[in-house]
Amino acid sequence: MIEISVVVIAVAFAILVVFLIKTLKAATKSLEKTTQTLQEVQKTIEELGYEVKQTVRQANGITVDLQTKMKQMDPVMESVHNLGEVLSEVTFAAKQLSSTVMEKMKKPKTNASSNLSNVPLSKAEQRTVQSYAALNKAKDSKDPNWVKYVDVAAGIWQKFRR
């Protein structure tokens, strides 16, 4: 019986070895395919790496170009900003003038000389009035009030300009 047992064990071992050989061959083929796939992936990564580097270089060039162009546009943008401020000031002055005109139109009309006497004159306007008055006295003009109208108009113009 020992002999039969040894023969059965030998046959079982031979069958086990055959199956192990088949399994090892299949594992070897799988490893070879895995190695081949990894090599292909590595080649692809190397190719992509080169292309990515080229893309990054181009992106850097574009960025430098854009920065240069943006610096060139800065004076234009500043001019547009200044123009916007000027237009805002002009609009504000027009609003003030419009509201002043509307206020004057809403008030009942009074004697023009009383309106002129209420307007405070600057030193320059006072000198102008005095020089016109001196001229009018010398020429003996019939209507010396026109000088005040001119000065009031000049005063309004100066306030409008501010």
Side-chain angles (χ1 to χ4, degrees):
M1 206 55 190
I2 292 181
E3 294 172 0
I4 295 176
S5 297
V6 172
V7 173
V8 170
I9 291 174
V11 170
F13 184 73
I15 292 172
L16 179 65
V17 168
V18 169
F19 281 115
L20 281 176
I21 290 174
K22 286 183 179 181
T23 304
L24 287 175
K25 284 186 177 182
T28 304
K29 287 181 183 178
S30 294
L31 286 174
E32 287 174 357
K33 286 183 180 179
T34 304
T35 303
Q36 185 181 7
T37 303
L38 284 175
Q39 288 174 349
E40 290 174 5
V41 167
Q42 188 175 9
K43 286 180 184 178
T44 304
I45 288 174
E46 288 174 0
E47 291 172 2
L48 287 176
Y50 176 77
E51 291 177 14
V52 167
K53 287 178 185 177
Q54 291 299 328
T55 304
V56 167
R57 286 185 190 124
Q58 288 177 350
N60 287 340
I62 290 171
T63 303
V64 168
D65 188 40
L66 283 174
Q67 287 174 344
T68 303
K69 289 179 180 175
M70 291 299 287
K71 285 180 183 177
Q72 291 173 348
M73 289 296 294
D74 282 344
V76 173
M77 291 299 151
E78 188 174 333
S79 295
V80 169
H81 175 72
N82 292 339
L83 179 63
E85 287 180 356
V86 167
L87 289 175
S88 177
E89 290 175 8
V90 168
T91 303
F92 181 72
K95 277 183 169 177
Q96 285 183 330
L97 179 64
S98 174
S99 64
T100 304
V101 169
M102 291 305 293
E103 290 290 325
K104 298 272 183 182
M105 293 177 77
K106 288 179 182 179
K107 288 183 182 178
K109 290 187 179 180
T110 58
N111 188 3
S113 63
S114 66
N115 282 341
L116 292 177
S117 63
N118 292 338
V119 176
L121 299 176
S122 68
K123 290 183 180 182
E125 292 171 335
Q126 289 173 357
R127 285 194 304 254
T128 305
V129 169
Q130 290 171 356
S131 65
Y132 283 141
L135 283 174
N136 284 336
K137 287 180 184 177
K139 292 184 179 179
D140 195 24
S141 119
K142 295 180 183 176
D143 189 15
N145 287 336
W146 69 273
V147 175
K148 290 183 181 180
Y149 291 117
V150 171
D151 287 333
V152 169
I156 290 172
W157 175 251
Q158 286 179 349
K159 287 179 184 177
F160 175 72
R161 286 183 54 205
R162 289 182 194 158

